Structures are given as C-alpha cells and as structure tokens.
Amino acid sequence: MDTITIVSITSLLAGILYWLFGMGRAAEQTKRRAADVSFGSINSEKVKDKYNQYSKFFRHLDQKPEQVADFVNVFYDLITDMYEYLWGQSFHFSPSIKGKTRLESTRIHEEMLADLMGANSSQKILDVGCGVGGPMRAIAAYSGSHIVGITINEYQVTRAKAYNEKAGLDEHCEVVCGNFLKMPFEDESFDGAYSIEATCHAPKLEDVYREIFRVLKPGSMYVSYEWVTTELYNSEDPEHVEIIHGIEIGNALPRLRRYSDIAEVAKRVGFEVVKEKDLAKPPAGVWWSRLRKTKFSNWKKRMMVMVLEKLGFVAKGTGEVQEMLLRTIHHLARGGETGIFTPMHMILCRKPEKQQQA
Ligand SMILES: C[S@@+](CC[C@H](N)C(=O)[O-])C[C@H]1O[C@@H](n2cnc3c(N)ncnc32)[C@H](O)[C@@H]1O
Ligand SMILES: *[C@@H]1O[C@H](CO)[C@@H](O)[C@H](O)[C@H]1NC(C)=O
C-alpha cells in the first residue's frame, strides 16, 4: 500500500468513527426526546393496532357517520403526544404576527375569543372540544371567567387536568370527558361558548351547533374558528380535491364544509349571526409558515423515528403515525398557499333573548 492509500483509509476510518460517535450522541438525545412522543395515551404494543383501526375507520366513514366520535377518539389517542411535542398545549393555528413569537401570536388568537364573547369574571364559559386545554388556560387567565371544557378523549382530560393544576388554574377550569353532540350539561347553563378548530370533527355541523345553542343562556354569545374550504376551492380541480382530501384523512375529519355553509347552519339552529370573517385573509400574516420551515428537520425526524422504532425505543407503528402527520402537514400548507382552505373562518353568534324566540 502506498502512503496515499494509507492516509485515505485512515481518514476514512476516522470519518466513520467521528460519524458513529456523533450518531451515538444523537441517539442518546433522541432517546430522551422519544420519551416525549411516547404515546402515554396507549400501551406501546397497541400503537400499530390503533393506527390500523384508524385507517380502516377512514375507509368506511361514509357508511357509518355514527362511528365518527370513536374514530376521532382513536385519532387523538394516537397523536396527542406528538401534537404536544410539536406545537405545545394549544392544538390550533393562528396568523403569524411580525415581531411576536409563535406562542405570543397563539395567545392573541385565543384572547380574541374572550373579547368577542365579552367574557368576564362573573361568567361560566364552555370550551367545545378543548384538547389539552392550552386555550382554556389562556382565556381563563385573561378574562377571569370560569371555563368548562369538553373533549371526547379521556387521555386529553387527564393531561388538561394536570396542566390546570400546575398552572394554578384548577379552580377556574374544569374538564369533562364527553361527546359534544350530546353534552352532559343542563339547558341554558352557560354565559358563553367557544370552539377552536374542533366542530370540524362533527359529521353534521347542525348537530353540534344545536347542542351548543341548547346549553347557552338566552342573550349569550358563541364564537367559533371553523375549518372550511374557501371561495377559491374548485371541486373540478384534481389538485384541489387531493389537497382537501389529504387534510381530511390526516386530521380525522368526516368532510370539510364550505365557508358559506357555516352561517346558514348557525341561523338554522336559531342563532343570530353577529359577525363572520376569515381571519387568514391578508393583511393577516400566514398561518402555515411554521409548517413549511421544517423540510430538512422533517427528514431528520423521519430518520430518527425510523431508527428508534427499529431499535425498539419507540412503539411499532410510530413511523406510520409520523408519516401520516407529515403528509397532512404538507396538505395543510398547500391548502394555505393556494388559499383554498382556512382553519380560522370565524363566526360570532348570539342566542336571542327569550321574547324574540317564538
Ligand atoms: C384540533 S383539536 C383542538 C383542541 C383545542 N380547541 C385547542 O385549540 O387546543 C380538536 C378537539 O376536538 C375534540 N373533539 C372532536 N370531536 C369531538 C366530539 N364529538 N366530542 C367532544 N370533543 C370532540 C377533540 O377531542 C380535540 O380535543
Ligand atoms: C359580565 O358581563 C355580563 C353580561 O354583559 C354583565 O351582566 C355582568 O355585569 C358582567 N360582570 C362583570 C363582573 O363585569
């Protein structure tokens, strides 16, 4: 062997060693991180089963709308930990605001609801589809209202309660496990209600709006951020159809509604529509930028989960769940870029006073 070959081989070996060492450190780090995406919700043997159950559900959804709640529940068993890991305790989008962090713009988007409802410290407010309660805690702290959240997912209830306690807000915030199509609350028992990116999970919007109308006191306000297709959506355009279908599959949605359906449904159940606005429209800053920033890091995360799954550090099926999320992230961003989809079609409604109802 000549010197050049020896030098090349040595540096190659050194390179490999360096790389392996780096990998070892990275593996340690990722192992620690894996604890955050560990499906605390599910026994780890079950992740793959749950994922298969979810996919099967989706294929048969059109035939069985009454199973949607179960299907949504399985979905949130699968992704609650990953959502928290990626986005924190608020599971919704918000317009980006110049000079504000993502957390700050998230808070502003949440506090806007309190302002729209006119929430104050003597009121009891309902959070329809509350997730792990990020918005509930922000709104309780901001307005002083007493908030009752409802979610279909038991695991989220546990998380939300723990966070409420940790934030010292458990006197202000209650969390109940239940279906928002059939809520365990008395008629006319709330002074206000809001829903953030949650009613899109109902097979029929009318059913959830009617239920919210029932539990509100006359004269009180309901405000919602709805996921809808916009006026730019063209159902004849195959790319549009693919994007919207991709959003539905990756988010456990029965069928996305059109922006123009929302007010119609609200009026049909008895609400007065006070205001309606797509909060994603310019000059609002884009809401999907955070989904686009991470192309390279998506690739890294993919590799990481693949390795972790092979080594048995995370449950079998984690990779598939992650693939589903990454696909849906792509479809959501395309929905935003093309302008055919918005996750923040805001509608503000009032339940009329008694004498006006008849
Ligand atoms: C995208 S998450 C939004 C959570 C929360 N609003 C937030 O912004 O952080 C949708 C929520 O709706 C809840 N949900 C969906 N269908 C439901 C149903 N039928 N009854 C009660 N909650 C439901 C899910 O459990 C989940 O908590
Ligand atoms: C809260 O708002 C309601 C309805 O507008 C009002 O009647 C009540 O006096 C307010 N309470 C406080 C403490 O501001």
Side-chain angles (χ1 to χ4, degrees), residues 289-301 326 329:
S289 48
R290 64 164 138 151
L291 299 175
R292 276 298 185 217
K293 264 182 213 137
T294 50
K295 262 209 179 120
F296 178 65
S297 78
N298 280 350
W299 178 83
K300 272 199 310 196
K301 282 193 194 110
L326 291 177
I329 281 175

Side-chain angles (χ1 to χ4, degrees), residues 118 120-123:
N120 69 34
S121 60
S122 59
Q123 293 177 330

Side-chain angles (χ1 to χ4, degrees), residues 69 72 76 83 89-92 127-131 134-135 150-153 156 178-181 196-198 201:
V72 170
Y76 281 104
Y83 270 27
Q89 297 172 12
S90 291
F91 294 179
H92 62 80
D127 180 335
V128 182
C130 63
I150 184 167
T151 166
I152 192 83
N153 186 262
Q156 291 186 339
N179 191 335
F180 57 39
L181 300 177
I196 310 180
E197 304 187 14
H201 287 295

Side-chain angles (χ1 to χ4, degrees), residues 270-324:
F271 282 119
E272 285 165 24
V273 175
V274 178
K275 197 172 173 184
E276 204 181 4
K277 186 179 179 186
D278 180 358
L279 301 176
K281 285 243 154 62
V286 302
W287 54 267
W288 64 89
S289 48
R290 64 164 138 151
L291 299 175
R292 276 298 185 217
K293 264 182 213 137
T294 50
K295 262 209 179 120
F296 178 65
S297 78
N298 280 350
W299 178 83
K300 272 199 310 196
K301 282 193 194 110
R302 249 191 201 121
M303 295 296 289
M304 167 187 119
V305 167
M306 206 176 77
V307 171
L308 288 175
E309 196 177 323
K310 279 267 175 297
L311 294 178
F313 289 148
V314 299
K316 276 216 165 43
T318 307
E320 277 164 292
V321 177
Q322 186 197 31
E323 282 304 317
M324 173 177 84

Side-chain angles (χ1 to χ4, degrees), residues 26-279:
E28 258 317 302
Q29 257 175 20
T30 41
K31 216 163 98 183
R32 252 182 289 122
R33 287 234 204 109
D36 297 332
V37 267
S38 61
F39 297 102
S41 44
I42 320 172
N43 177 328
S44 69
E45 278 100 69
K46 298 256 172 72
V47 171
K48 207 170 167 72
D49 286 354
K50 285 260 179 183
Y51 179 76
N52 291 338
Q53 204 182 334
Y54 176 80
S55 313
K56 209 164 88 203
F57 256 132
F58 207 92
R59 288 197 294 276
H60 300 292
L61 210 56
D62 284 341
Q63 293 102 291
K64 298 177 184 152
E66 69 279 2
Q67 288 190 347
V68 168
D70 291 340
F71 152 77
V72 170
N73 187 23
V74 169
F75 175 76
Y76 281 104
D77 269 344
L78 280 173
I79 57 92
T80 293
D81 286 334
M82 274 209 199
Y83 270 27
E84 276 195 46
Y85 169 65
L86 290 172
W87 289 303
Q89 297 172 12
S90 291
F91 294 179
H92 62 80
F93 293 103
S94 57
S96 55
I97 302 173
K98 261 215 164 75
K100 302 269 182 212
T101 64
R102 192 165 57 67
L103 193 66
E104 287 165 343
S105 20
T106 300
R107 287 291 164 270
I108 290 170
H109 199 56
E110 292 165 350
E111 288 166 2
M112 190 191 301
L113 294 170
D115 290 337
L116 286 165
M117 285 181 291
N120 69 34
S121 60
S122 59
Q123 293 177 330
K124 189 167 112 183
I125 306 277
L126 174 64
D127 180 335
V128 182
C130 63
V132 299
M136 158 195 280
R137 285 181 288 282
I139 293 174
Y142 175 73
S143 66
S145 321
H146 186 91
I147 305 196
V148 180
I150 184 167
T151 166
I152 192 83
N153 186 262
E154 185 76 57
Y155 179 62
Q156 291 186 339
V157 173
T158 321
R159 302 293 280 179
K161 282 186 172 162
Y163 289 135
N164 288 346
E165 206 166 305
K166 208 166 156 193
L169 285 166
D170 45 328
E171 304 246 303
H172 275 80
C173 299
E174 281 174 62
V175 193
V176 175
C177 191
N179 191 335
F180 57 39
L181 300 177
K182 214 169 180 286
M183 293 191 277
F185 306 125
E186 307 264 298
D187 293 358
E188 305 187 359
S189 51
F190 288 94
D191 305 292
Y194 65 89
S195 52
I196 310 180
E197 304 187 14
T199 50
C200 49
H201 287 295
K204 281 174 70 190
L205 188 65
E206 194 165 333
D207 294 342
V208 55
Y209 275 20
R210 184 173 298 112
E211 188 63 355
I212 294 166
F213 187 87
R214 177 182 72 78
V215 301
L216 281 176
K217 291 179 192 165
S220 51
M221 309 296 280
Y222 167 54
V223 57
S224 186
Y225 293 158
E226 294 288 340
W227 280 32
V228 293
T229 58
T230 70
E231 72 289 352
L232 295 178
Y233 174 66
N234 171 6
S235 60
E236 313 270 274
D237 182 328
E239 199 207 348
H240 287 189
V241 173
E242 193 210 312
I243 293 171
I244 296 303
H245 192 61
I247 293 176
E248 289 163 354
I249 292 189
N251 294 282
L253 303 180
R255 229 15 235 288
L256 269 176
R257 288 171 260 275
R258 288 164 50 81
Y259 72 105
S260 51
D261 295 341
I262 307 299
E264 214 173 276
V265 171
K267 286 179 205 154
R268 210 180 305 145
V269 306
F271 282 119
E272 285 165 24
V273 175
V274 178
K275 197 172 173 184
E276 204 181 4
K277 186 179 179 186
D278 180 358
L279 301 176

